[in-house]
Every structure is written in structure tokens, then in C-alpha cells.
Amino acid sequence: MKRRLTTYFLLIATLGIALSSAFGVWVYRDREISSARQTLVELLNLMDAQNYYTDAEAWSQQLHTAAPDKRLTIISPEGKVLSDTYGQVTENHADRPEFKSALETGWGEAERKSDTTGEMLLYEAKQFTDGNVGRLSMPISSVNALVLQGLVGFLVAAVVALVLMLVLARKLADRTAQPLEQKEEELEQEGEKLQTVRSEFAANVSHELKTPLTSIKGFTDMMSSGMVKDPEDQKRFITMIGVEVDRLIELINDVLKISELESVVMPQSDDRANVLSVAEECRAALGQMAEAAKISVNLSGDNAEVAVAPGRLRELLTNLMENGIKYNEPGGRVDVQAAQRDGKVAITVSDTGIGIPKESRERVFERFYRVDKGRARKTGGTGLGLSIVKHIVLLYGGSISLKSEPGKGTEIMVLFPAVR
């Protein structure tokens, strides 16, 4: 990762330096062209200021001696070349663009290939006081030579900048990659933990499914072999098969609920439910079970609403109230209370049941964990109820806490955001 980041940073820097250098060279050349034109203009102004009449031959000789890299051409208004530092020129210059512009406006300029010498030249023309046109020119190659000299400085600066950028890119890549690599390592560790949890979950599900399936297979084998002939025994075996099938259905439903809760990314923003109203529905649904176990279920507290879907809250309360009934003693109670404070709603489900040993309190929310396996089997628990409760609490941004003493009962409190 560090190598890739260094390469990316260096490529970006190289592109930036290349573009800025190209722009700098273009600006530098344009400045040199402007400077060369200004020099030609000043020379023409100097010539025109010396005499009222144009001294073509004398001026040509003087310029040839003083500035051999420049060419002076004196042209009559008709386009005839009166003198030229490059020698005798017979060709009429009336069609030259810089000459025509000088006759029209007093000044003319051009950058073109010379028809006489074949070089790319920079032209500047001025109409003198006596009507003749003086034209100065110089090769573009002279300007380009100056630009090339300056380009060496640009290249040196670019190389130094790239070296510095390489050092900075490595440091930046190290600083950028370090937290990413740490995060990647953490994600790998989390992935390993998740894989372990999934493997354990699959093993637990297989074990939990195997037990009732084995019982069902044993009952059906005994009945199909003719070993159970008495009608009463057959009826008892069928009832036992039904119980195991119900246990399978309950287990599968709970596994599907866990999977569904894990697949939900976030709850809907408009979810809301009245705690006591949903608790009343749960009490009615569990009424037969509570009556059979001789347990009273009591509701009290504030008429508060939580930002939880009614179906999810019903599932949560059903699991907590059902556990309070199952793991209780005849004549016991299950109390459900709702209290609103500081923008949150506290839902407390307490019972007077058998309680939870200290060593098991931290594990009761794990999947398939049972405090009393024998009693759980007898009452039909799957070991997923409190795990479902915990998933619902986390999904809706709540928190959950547990207090319990063996023989004195259990209290579970859930905090949810109140509806604003």
C-alpha cells in the first residue's frame, strides 16, 4: 500500500510540475518575444529621430556593424527596397503584411517565414517622417536560444522539486498508510472473529436441530417397526413427535429472527410504539401460559412512546415476559414498568423467579446459552430469546442491563430513545 500511495503522490506531483513548467516556459518565451519587439521598436524610433530624411545606406551599414544579428530593410512607399543589410533585394515588398500595416497605421509587426532568407523572423516596421518604411527583423531562433538557456534552469528546478516531492510522498504515504493498515488489520481480526462466531453458530444450530430430529426419528422408527401396538402408546408417541416438531419450528423461527435482525442496516426514522399498549398485547398473548404457571403479570408506569417499531418492541417484551413466567415459581409475579426521563424511556421487566447465578449473568445474552439446560428443555426454550432481545436493543440505539440474585428474581432494564 505504501508503494502504491508513493507512486500516486509522485505521479500527481510530476504532472503538476510538468504542467507548471510548460506554462512557465510559454510565459518566458512570450516575455522574450515582447522584449525583442520592444528592442526593434526602440531602434526604429532612434533612426527616425536622427534625420528628417532617410539615409538608407548609412543606416544599413551602421546597423550591420552594431547588430549583425538584426536585419534592416528600408522600403519606399511603393514597396521598392531602397537598402537591406543582407544585400541587394530586387523583389517588391508592397505585399508584406508588416509593410502594409505600417503604411496604414504607422506601425506594423509580423512573425513569419522570410520570403528572402527562408528563416522564421520577427518583424517590426515603422513609417518614417519622410514617408519611407523602416523594417527591422531578427530570427526567432535567437529568442528560442535564450528560452532554451532558461529552460535548463526550469529543468533543474523541476528535478529538485521531484526529489523533494519523492521524500515528502514517502513520508505522506507512511502517515496515510499506517492508520489504513491498522484498520485493515482490525478488519481482518474482526472478520476472523465473525467467522468464528458463524462457525460456532452453525455448530450450535446443527446441535439444536439434531436433538429433536433424533427424537422424532426414534419415535417414527419404533412406530413403523410395529413395536408400538397399543393405541394409547401410539397416541403418546404422536404427541411427543408433535412436541419435538413444535420445538423445531420455534428454533427455526428464532434463527430466522436473528438473521433478519443482523441483516437490517438501520431502523426507519418514523418507527414508534407505545410501551404500555404493546406490553398489554403481550400480556394478553401470554395470559394462558401465565395462568397455567400461576404467575401474575402487572403493568405500570408512564404512557411513553419509544422510537422502535411496534413489532420489534412486541418481540422484545414477549421474550422478556415469557422468560419471567417460565423461570418463576407458582404464585410469583412479573412486573413491567415504563418510565420516561431525559429523552429516554426505561423499560423494566422484573420477576420473582429463580434468578441467575453470578457466573452466568454475562453470558445469558449469548446465542443458545442456557443457565439451566434441563429446565430450558422442559419449558421449551431455544436459548435465543435474550440474544434476540439484545439484537433489537442494539438495532434501535438502546442499551440493556441485568440484575439478578439466585432465588430472588431477575430485573432487566432496557433504555430506548423516546419519541420527540
Side-chain angles (χ1 to χ4, degrees):
M1 180 179 290
K2 292 181 181 179
R3 183 177 296 177
R4 289 201 303 270
L5 288 174
T6 303
T7 303
Y8 293 152
F9 292 148
L10 193 59
L11 286 175
I12 293 171
T14 302
L15 180 61
I17 292 172
L19 291 175
S20 60
S21 297
F23 180 73
V25 169
W26 178 80
V27 171
Y28 181 58
R29 183 181 183 278
D30 185 68
R31 189 185 68 180
E32 290 299 323
I33 291 289
S34 299
S35 177
R37 285 193 181 281
Q38 185 61 32
T39 300
L40 297 179
V41 168
E42 290 174 357
L43 286 172
L44 288 172
N45 282 330
L46 183 63
M47 290 177 190
D48 193 31
Q50 288 182 359
N51 295 296
Y52 181 79
Y53 295 102
T54 304
D55 190 350
E57 292 297 335
W59 290 356
S60 295
Q61 290 178 4
Q62 290 175 7
L63 185 71
H64 182 68
T65 303
D69 61 317
K70 296 176 178 59
R71 176 186 177 187
L72 173 63
T73 308
I74 306 298
I75 310 168
S76 69
E78 294 78 22
K80 181 182 178 181
V81 177
L82 301 178
S83 70
D84 193 304
T85 55
Y86 277 22
Q88 186 177 2
V89 178
T90 58
E91 188 177 357
N92 191 284
H93 281 40
D95 61 342
R96 301 300 194 266
E98 65 277 4
F99 172 77
K100 294 165 65 176
S101 178
L103 289 180
E104 293 174 0
T105 65
W107 285 94
E109 64 180 34
E111 186 176 333
R112 60 179 178 80
K113 190 174 183 180
S114 171
D115 295 334
T116 304
T117 63
E119 290 183 282
M120 283 296 297
L121 298 177
L122 187 67
Y123 292 96
E124 198 71 36
K126 173 180 172 56
Q127 188 174 30
F128 292 149
T129 306
D130 61 359
N132 291 323
V133 174
R135 188 187 69 178
L136 276 173
S137 63
M138 64 180 296
I140 296 293
S141 58
S142 300
V143 179
N144 291 338
L146 291 174
V147 174
L148 287 176
Q149 291 176 8
L151 185 60
V152 174
F154 277 106
L155 291 176
V156 171
V159 170
V160 172
L162 283 174
V163 172
L164 291 176
M165 189 59 208
L166 178 60
V167 176
L168 293 175
R170 286 179 177 174
K171 290 184 178 181
L172 185 59
D174 289 340
R175 292 183 180 181
T176 305
Q178 186 174 4
L180 292 176
E181 289 175 348
Q182 290 177 352
K183 198 65 177 178
E184 186 177 357
E185 185 177 349
E186 291 174 4
L187 289 174
E188 288 179 358
Q189 293 176 354
E190 289 296 326
E192 292 175 0
K193 292 179 181 178
L194 181 60
Q195 186 61 38
T196 302
V197 170
R198 287 177 175 174
S199 299
E200 291 177 353
F201 182 62
N204 287 330
V205 170
S206 300
H207 174 74
E208 294 293 333
L209 290 173
K210 185 177 179 180
T211 302
L213 286 173
T214 301
S215 299
I216 293 171
K217 182 69 167 56
F219 294 147
T220 54
D221 285 346
M222 291 176 67
M223 292 180 67
S224 62
S225 65
M227 294 176 60
V228 183
K229 297 181 180 180
D230 186 73
E232 290 298 324
D233 289 339
Q234 290 178 352
K235 185 177 180 180
R236 182 168 55 86
F237 272 52
I238 292 173
T239 301
M240 294 170 68
I241 291 173
V243 170
E244 296 297 334
V245 169
D246 290 339
R247 183 172 295 172
L248 274 176
I249 293 173
E250 183 183 4
L251 176 61
I252 291 170
N253 285 336
D254 283 350
V255 170
L256 290 176
K257 289 174 187 176
I258 291 284
S259 300
E260 180 187 354
L261 289 169
E262 288 179 338
S263 66
V264 177
V265 178
M266 61 185 300
Q268 298 296 319
S269 59
D270 58 346
D271 285 340
R272 61 177 58 202
N274 185 284
V275 177
L276 293 182
S277 296
V278 174
E280 182 60 46
E281 294 177 14
C282 298
R283 180 168 67 172
L286 297 171
Q288 189 174 355
M289 175 190 290
E291 186 178 352
K294 298 180 181 179
I295 304 296
S296 63
V297 179
N298 308 302
L299 309 179
S300 63
D302 302 330
N303 188 28
E305 285 190 335
V306 292
V308 181
R312 300 292 189 200
L313 183 61
R314 188 179 302 110
E315 199 165 5
L316 178 145
L317 289 174
T318 298
N319 275 296
L320 294 179
M321 294 166 69
E322 187 176 12
N323 280 351
I325 296 170
K326 285 181 180 179
Y327 301 100
N328 214 321
E329 301 293 347
R333 297 190 328 273
V334 173
D335 298 319
V336 181
Q337 184 180 28
Q340 184 168 349
R341 57 177 183 265
D342 299 328
K344 293 185 179 295
V345 175
I347 304 172
T348 306
V349 179
S350 57
D351 62 62
T352 58
I354 61 175
I356 302 172
K358 183 177 180 180
E359 63 274 10
S360 298
R361 290 172 200 163
E362 297 296 327
R363 301 193 60 191
V364 291
F365 295 103
E366 295 178 9
R367 299 169 180 176
F368 297 109
Y369 184 80
R370 298 183 179 89
V371 177
D372 186 346
K373 295 184 179 180
R375 181 160 184 163
R377 293 287 185 188
K378 183 178 179 181
T379 56
T382 63
L384 291 173
L386 289 180
S387 181
I388 292 173
V389 168
K390 184 178 180 180
H391 274 75
I392 294 173
V393 171
L394 294 177
L395 176 63
Y396 288 93
S399 61
I400 188 168
S401 60
L402 180 145
K403 296 178 182 179
S404 185
E405 290 292 336
K408 295 183 179 181
T410 301
E411 176 186 288
I412 295 180
M413 185 174 70
V414 176
L415 283 175
F416 278 127
V419 172
R420 296 181 181 178

